[in-house]
Short mmCIF file of all heavy atoms in Angstrom, two decimals:
data_model
loop_
_atom_site.label_atom_id
_atom_site.label_comp_id
_atom_site.label_asym_id
_atom_site.label_seq_id
_atom_site.Cartn_x
_atom_site.Cartn_y
_atom_site.Cartn_z
N CYS H 147 92.07 -122.09 -186.28
CA CYS H 147 93.12 -121.35 -185.61
C CYS H 147 94.45 -121.98 -185.97
O CYS H 147 94.64 -123.19 -185.78
CB CYS H 147 92.90 -121.38 -184.10
SG CYS H 147 94.24 -120.65 -183.12
N VAL H 148 95.37 -121.19 -186.49
CA VAL H 148 96.70 -121.66 -186.85
C VAL H 148 97.74 -120.83 -186.12
O VAL H 148 97.71 -119.60 -186.19
CB VAL H 148 96.93 -121.59 -188.37
CG1 VAL H 148 98.34 -122.06 -188.71
CG2 VAL H 148 95.91 -122.43 -189.11
N ALA H 149 98.65 -121.50 -185.45
CA ALA H 149 99.72 -120.84 -184.72
C ALA H 149 101.07 -121.16 -185.33
O ALA H 149 101.30 -122.28 -185.79
CB ALA H 149 99.70 -121.25 -183.25
N SER H 150 101.96 -120.19 -185.31
CA SER H 150 103.33 -120.39 -185.77
C SER H 150 104.28 -120.14 -184.61
O SER H 150 103.96 -119.42 -183.66
CB SER H 150 103.66 -119.45 -186.93
OG SER H 150 103.53 -118.09 -186.54
N GLY H 151 105.46 -120.75 -184.68
CA GLY H 151 106.43 -120.59 -183.62
C GLY H 151 106.27 -121.58 -182.48
O GLY H 151 106.80 -121.35 -181.39
N TYR H 152 105.55 -122.68 -182.71
CA TYR H 152 105.29 -123.68 -181.67
C TYR H 152 106.07 -124.98 -181.89
O TYR H 152 105.71 -126.01 -181.34
CB TYR H 152 103.80 -124.01 -181.62
CG TYR H 152 102.97 -123.04 -180.83
CD1 TYR H 152 102.65 -121.79 -181.33
CD2 TYR H 152 102.50 -123.38 -179.56
CE1 TYR H 152 101.88 -120.90 -180.61
CE2 TYR H 152 101.73 -122.50 -178.84
CZ TYR H 152 101.42 -121.26 -179.37
OH TYR H 152 100.65 -120.38 -178.64
N SER H 153 107.13 -124.94 -182.64
CA SER H 153 107.85 -126.16 -183.00
C SER H 153 108.33 -126.94 -181.78
O SER H 153 108.30 -128.18 -181.79
CB SER H 153 109.04 -125.81 -183.90
OG SER H 153 108.61 -125.25 -185.13
N TYR H 154 108.77 -126.24 -180.74
CA TYR H 154 109.30 -126.90 -179.56
C TYR H 154 108.57 -126.50 -178.28
O TYR H 154 109.10 -126.67 -177.19
CB TYR H 154 110.79 -126.59 -179.42
CG TYR H 154 111.59 -126.98 -180.64
CD1 TYR H 154 112.02 -126.02 -181.55
CD2 TYR H 154 111.90 -128.31 -180.88
CE1 TYR H 154 112.73 -126.38 -182.67
CE2 TYR H 154 112.62 -128.68 -182.00
CZ TYR H 154 113.03 -127.71 -182.89
OH TYR H 154 113.75 -128.07 -184.01
N VAL H 155 107.35 -126.00 -178.41
CA VAL H 155 106.57 -125.53 -177.27
C VAL H 155 105.17 -126.12 -177.36
O VAL H 155 104.56 -126.14 -178.44
CB VAL H 155 106.49 -123.99 -177.23
CG1 VAL H 155 105.63 -123.54 -176.06
CG2 VAL H 155 107.88 -123.40 -177.14
N SER H 156 104.64 -126.59 -176.25
CA SER H 156 103.28 -127.09 -176.18
C SER H 156 102.37 -126.05 -175.52
O SER H 156 102.82 -125.24 -174.71
CB SER H 156 103.21 -128.41 -175.41
OG SER H 156 103.68 -128.24 -174.09
N ALA H 157 101.09 -126.08 -175.86
CA ALA H 157 100.16 -125.10 -175.33
C ALA H 157 98.74 -125.65 -175.33
O ALA H 157 98.38 -126.48 -176.17
CB ALA H 157 100.21 -123.81 -176.14
N THR H 158 97.94 -125.17 -174.38
CA THR H 158 96.52 -125.42 -174.41
C THR H 158 95.86 -124.26 -175.14
O THR H 158 96.32 -123.12 -175.06
CB THR H 158 95.95 -125.56 -172.98
OG1 THR H 158 94.56 -125.88 -173.04
CG2 THR H 158 96.15 -124.28 -172.18
N THR H 159 94.79 -124.53 -175.87
CA THR H 159 94.17 -123.54 -176.74
C THR H 159 92.69 -123.40 -176.43
O THR H 159 92.00 -124.39 -176.17
CB THR H 159 94.34 -123.93 -178.21
OG1 THR H 159 95.73 -124.17 -178.49
CG2 THR H 159 93.84 -122.82 -179.13
N GLY H 160 92.20 -122.16 -176.47
CA GLY H 160 90.79 -121.90 -176.23
C GLY H 160 90.20 -120.98 -177.27
O GLY H 160 90.91 -120.21 -177.91
N TRP H 161 88.88 -121.07 -177.44
CA TRP H 161 88.12 -120.13 -178.23
C TRP H 161 87.32 -119.26 -177.28
O TRP H 161 86.52 -119.77 -176.48
CB TRP H 161 87.18 -120.85 -179.20
CG TRP H 161 87.87 -121.45 -180.38
CD1 TRP H 161 88.26 -122.74 -180.54
CD2 TRP H 161 88.25 -120.77 -181.58
NE1 TRP H 161 88.85 -122.92 -181.76
CE2 TRP H 161 88.86 -121.72 -182.43
CE3 TRP H 161 88.13 -119.45 -182.03
CZ2 TRP H 161 89.35 -121.39 -183.69
CZ3 TRP H 161 88.62 -119.13 -183.28
CH2 TRP H 161 89.22 -120.10 -184.09
N VAL H 162 87.52 -117.95 -177.35
CA VAL H 162 86.87 -116.99 -176.48
C VAL H 162 86.08 -116.03 -177.35
O VAL H 162 86.59 -115.52 -178.34
CB VAL H 162 87.90 -116.22 -175.63
CG1 VAL H 162 87.21 -115.18 -174.75
CG2 VAL H 162 88.71 -117.19 -174.77
N ARG H 163 84.83 -115.75 -176.98
CA ARG H 163 84.01 -114.84 -177.78
C ARG H 163 83.61 -113.62 -176.98
O ARG H 163 83.48 -113.66 -175.75
CB ARG H 163 82.77 -115.54 -178.35
CG ARG H 163 81.73 -115.97 -177.32
CD ARG H 163 80.62 -116.74 -178.03
NE ARG H 163 79.58 -117.18 -177.11
CZ ARG H 163 78.57 -117.97 -177.46
NH1 ARG H 163 78.46 -118.41 -178.71
NH2 ARG H 163 77.66 -118.33 -176.55
N GLN H 164 83.42 -112.52 -177.71
CA GLN H 164 83.03 -111.25 -177.13
C GLN H 164 81.90 -110.65 -177.96
O GLN H 164 82.07 -110.40 -179.15
CB GLN H 164 84.21 -110.28 -177.10
CG GLN H 164 83.89 -108.92 -176.50
CD GLN H 164 83.72 -108.98 -175.01
OE1 GLN H 164 84.67 -109.25 -174.27
NE2 GLN H 164 82.51 -108.72 -174.54
N ALA H 165 80.76 -110.44 -177.33
CA ALA H 165 79.62 -109.81 -177.97
C ALA H 165 79.31 -108.49 -177.27
O ALA H 165 79.52 -108.37 -176.06
CB ALA H 165 78.39 -110.72 -177.94
N PRO H 166 78.81 -107.49 -178.00
CA PRO H 166 78.48 -106.21 -177.38
C PRO H 166 77.50 -106.37 -176.23
O PRO H 166 76.48 -107.06 -176.36
CB PRO H 166 77.86 -105.40 -178.53
CG PRO H 166 78.45 -106.01 -179.76
CD PRO H 166 78.57 -107.47 -179.45
N GLY H 167 77.81 -105.73 -175.09
CA GLY H 167 76.93 -105.79 -173.94
C GLY H 167 76.99 -107.07 -173.14
O GLY H 167 76.24 -107.22 -172.17
N LYS H 168 77.88 -108.00 -173.51
CA LYS H 168 77.99 -109.25 -172.80
C LYS H 168 79.42 -109.47 -172.31
O LYS H 168 80.36 -108.90 -172.85
CB LYS H 168 77.57 -110.43 -173.68
CG LYS H 168 76.10 -110.41 -174.08
CD LYS H 168 75.74 -111.67 -174.84
CE LYS H 168 74.26 -111.70 -175.19
NZ LYS H 168 73.90 -112.94 -175.93
N GLU H 169 79.56 -110.29 -171.29
CA GLU H 169 80.87 -110.61 -170.75
C GLU H 169 81.63 -111.52 -171.71
O GLU H 169 81.05 -112.30 -172.46
CB GLU H 169 80.74 -111.28 -169.39
CG GLU H 169 80.13 -110.41 -168.31
CD GLU H 169 80.04 -111.13 -166.97
OE1 GLU H 169 80.31 -112.35 -166.93
OE2 GLU H 169 79.74 -110.47 -165.97
N ARG H 170 82.95 -111.39 -171.67
CA ARG H 170 83.80 -112.28 -172.44
C ARG H 170 83.59 -113.71 -171.95
O ARG H 170 83.53 -113.96 -170.74
CB ARG H 170 85.26 -111.85 -172.30
CG ARG H 170 86.23 -112.61 -173.16
CD ARG H 170 87.57 -111.90 -173.23
NE ARG H 170 88.04 -111.53 -171.91
CZ ARG H 170 89.14 -110.82 -171.68
NH1 ARG H 170 89.87 -110.39 -172.71
NH2 ARG H 170 89.51 -110.51 -170.44
N GLU H 171 83.48 -114.65 -172.86
CA GLU H 171 83.10 -116.01 -172.53
C GLU H 171 84.02 -117.02 -173.19
O GLU H 171 84.27 -116.94 -174.40
CB GLU H 171 81.65 -116.28 -172.95
CG GLU H 171 81.17 -117.70 -172.69
CD GLU H 171 79.78 -117.95 -173.24
OE1 GLU H 171 79.42 -117.32 -174.26
OE2 GLU H 171 79.04 -118.75 -172.64
N LEU H 172 84.51 -117.97 -172.41
CA LEU H 172 85.24 -119.11 -172.97
C LEU H 172 84.23 -120.06 -173.59
O LEU H 172 83.39 -120.63 -172.90
CB LEU H 172 86.06 -119.82 -171.90
CG LEU H 172 86.76 -121.10 -172.35
CD1 LEU H 172 87.84 -120.79 -173.39
CD2 LEU H 172 87.36 -121.85 -171.17
N VAL H 173 84.31 -120.24 -174.90
CA VAL H 173 83.39 -121.11 -175.61
C VAL H 173 83.82 -122.56 -175.53
O VAL H 173 83.01 -123.46 -175.24
CB VAL H 173 83.26 -120.67 -177.08
CG1 VAL H 173 82.36 -121.62 -177.86
CG2 VAL H 173 82.74 -119.24 -177.17
N ALA H 174 85.09 -122.82 -175.78
CA ALA H 174 85.62 -124.17 -175.78
C ALA H 174 87.13 -124.13 -175.59
O ALA H 174 87.79 -123.18 -175.99
CB ALA H 174 85.27 -124.91 -177.07
N GLY H 175 87.68 -125.19 -175.00
CA GLY H 175 89.11 -125.30 -174.82
C GLY H 175 89.56 -126.73 -175.07
O GLY H 175 88.78 -127.67 -174.93
N ILE H 176 90.84 -126.90 -175.42
CA ILE H 176 91.37 -128.22 -175.74
C ILE H 176 92.81 -128.32 -175.28
O ILE H 176 93.56 -127.34 -175.31
CB ILE H 176 91.24 -128.51 -177.25
CG1 ILE H 176 91.50 -129.99 -177.55
CG2 ILE H 176 92.16 -127.61 -178.05
CD1 ILE H 176 91.08 -130.39 -178.95
N GLY H 177 93.21 -129.51 -174.82
CA GLY H 177 94.56 -129.75 -174.37
C GLY H 177 95.52 -129.97 -175.52
O GLY H 177 95.12 -130.09 -176.69
N TRP H 178 96.81 -130.04 -175.21
CA TRP H 178 97.85 -130.15 -176.22
C TRP H 178 97.71 -131.42 -177.05
O TRP H 178 97.95 -131.39 -178.26
CB TRP H 178 99.23 -130.08 -175.55
CG TRP H 178 100.37 -130.21 -176.50
CD1 TRP H 178 101.28 -131.23 -176.57
CD2 TRP H 178 100.74 -129.27 -177.51
NE1 TRP H 178 102.19 -130.99 -177.56
CE2 TRP H 178 101.89 -129.79 -178.16
CE3 TRP H 178 100.23 -128.04 -177.94
CZ2 TRP H 178 102.53 -129.13 -179.20
CZ3 TRP H 178 100.85 -127.39 -178.98
CH2 TRP H 178 101.99 -127.93 -179.60
N GLU H 179 97.35 -132.53 -176.41
CA GLU H 179 97.24 -133.80 -177.13
C GLU H 179 95.91 -133.96 -177.86
O GLU H 179 95.74 -134.94 -178.59
CB GLU H 179 97.45 -134.96 -176.16
CG GLU H 179 98.84 -135.00 -175.53
CD GLU H 179 99.93 -135.20 -176.56
OE1 GLU H 179 99.66 -135.79 -177.63
OE2 GLU H 179 101.08 -134.78 -176.30
N GLY H 180 94.97 -133.05 -177.65
CA GLY H 180 93.72 -133.10 -178.37
C GLY H 180 92.69 -134.07 -177.83
O GLY H 180 91.69 -134.34 -178.51
N GLN H 181 92.89 -134.60 -176.63
CA GLN H 181 91.97 -135.57 -176.05
C GLN H 181 91.04 -134.97 -175.00
O GLN H 181 89.89 -135.39 -174.89
CB GLN H 181 92.75 -136.73 -175.42
CG GLN H 181 93.63 -137.49 -176.40
CD GLN H 181 92.83 -138.11 -177.53
OE1 GLN H 181 91.77 -138.70 -177.31
NE2 GLN H 181 93.33 -137.96 -178.75
N GLN H 182 91.53 -133.99 -174.25
CA GLN H 182 90.72 -133.34 -173.23
C GLN H 182 90.14 -132.04 -173.77
O GLN H 182 90.82 -131.31 -174.48
CB GLN H 182 91.56 -133.05 -171.98
CG GLN H 182 92.20 -134.27 -171.35
CD GLN H 182 92.99 -133.92 -170.12
OE1 GLN H 182 92.48 -133.30 -169.19
NE2 GLN H 182 94.25 -134.32 -170.10
N SER H 183 88.89 -131.75 -173.43
CA SER H 183 88.23 -130.54 -173.90
C SER H 183 87.21 -130.06 -172.89
O SER H 183 86.78 -130.80 -172.01
CB SER H 183 87.57 -130.78 -175.26
OG SER H 183 86.58 -131.79 -175.17
N THR H 184 86.80 -128.80 -173.03
CA THR H 184 85.78 -128.22 -172.18
C THR H 184 84.90 -127.31 -173.03
O THR H 184 85.35 -126.76 -174.03
CB THR H 184 86.41 -127.44 -171.01
OG1 THR H 184 85.38 -127.00 -170.12
CG2 THR H 184 87.16 -126.22 -171.52
N TYR H 185 83.63 -127.17 -172.63
CA TYR H 185 82.68 -126.36 -173.37
C TYR H 185 81.83 -125.53 -172.43
O TYR H 185 81.51 -125.96 -171.31
CB TYR H 185 81.75 -127.22 -174.21
CG TYR H 185 82.43 -128.02 -175.29
CD1 TYR H 185 82.85 -129.32 -175.05
CD2 TYR H 185 82.65 -127.47 -176.55
CE1 TYR H 185 83.48 -130.05 -176.05
CE2 TYR H 185 83.27 -128.20 -177.55
CZ TYR H 185 83.69 -129.49 -177.28
OH TYR H 185 84.32 -130.21 -178.27
N ALA H 186 81.45 -124.34 -172.88
CA ALA H 186 80.46 -123.56 -172.16
C ALA H 186 79.10 -124.26 -172.24
O ALA H 186 78.78 -124.90 -173.24
CB ALA H 186 80.36 -122.15 -172.74
N ASP H 187 78.30 -124.12 -171.19
CA ASP H 187 76.99 -124.76 -171.18
C ASP H 187 76.12 -124.31 -172.35
O ASP H 187 75.29 -125.08 -172.84
CB ASP H 187 76.27 -124.47 -169.86
CG ASP H 187 76.90 -125.17 -168.68
OD1 ASP H 187 77.60 -126.18 -168.88
OD2 ASP H 187 76.68 -124.70 -167.54
N THR H 188 76.32 -123.09 -172.80
CA THR H 188 75.49 -122.54 -173.86
C THR H 188 75.76 -123.16 -175.23
O THR H 188 74.96 -122.99 -176.15
CB THR H 188 75.70 -121.02 -173.98
OG1 THR H 188 77.10 -120.73 -174.05
CG2 THR H 188 75.11 -120.32 -172.76
N VAL H 189 76.88 -123.88 -175.39
CA VAL H 189 77.22 -124.45 -176.69
C VAL H 189 77.36 -125.96 -176.67
O VAL H 189 77.58 -126.57 -177.72
CB VAL H 189 78.51 -123.82 -177.27
CG1 VAL H 189 78.40 -122.30 -177.29
CG2 VAL H 189 79.73 -124.27 -176.46
N LYS H 190 77.24 -126.59 -175.52
CA LYS H 190 77.37 -128.04 -175.43
C LYS H 190 76.37 -128.74 -176.33
O LYS H 190 75.19 -128.39 -176.36
CB LYS H 190 77.19 -128.50 -173.98
CG LYS H 190 78.36 -128.19 -173.08
CD LYS H 190 78.12 -128.70 -171.67
CE LYS H 190 79.30 -128.42 -170.77
NZ LYS H 190 79.07 -128.86 -169.37
#
């Protein structure tokens, strides 16, 4: 994932997946500094 326009802005980033017939799911997320993260139980 590559973002542009973030030179002076910080953000937390997540990967979200969508499969037919299933609910939208947060797969993984990470903080701005890259040290904190979270994962769905299905992908840990």
Side-chain angles (χ1 to χ4, degrees):
C147 173
V148 179
S150 61
Y152 278 75
S153 296
Y154 304 103
V155 178
S156 60
T158 183
T159 306
W161 285 98
V162 178
R163 68 184 180 186
Q164 180 73 66
K168 295 185 177 180
E169 296 181 351
R170 186 165 49 185
E171 178 185 31
L172 174 66
V173 177
I176 192 167
W178 179 246
E179 297 297 334
Q181 300 300 315
Q182 302 181 54
S183 61
T184 186
Y185 297 92
D187 290 338
T188 51
V189 306
K190 286 181 179 178

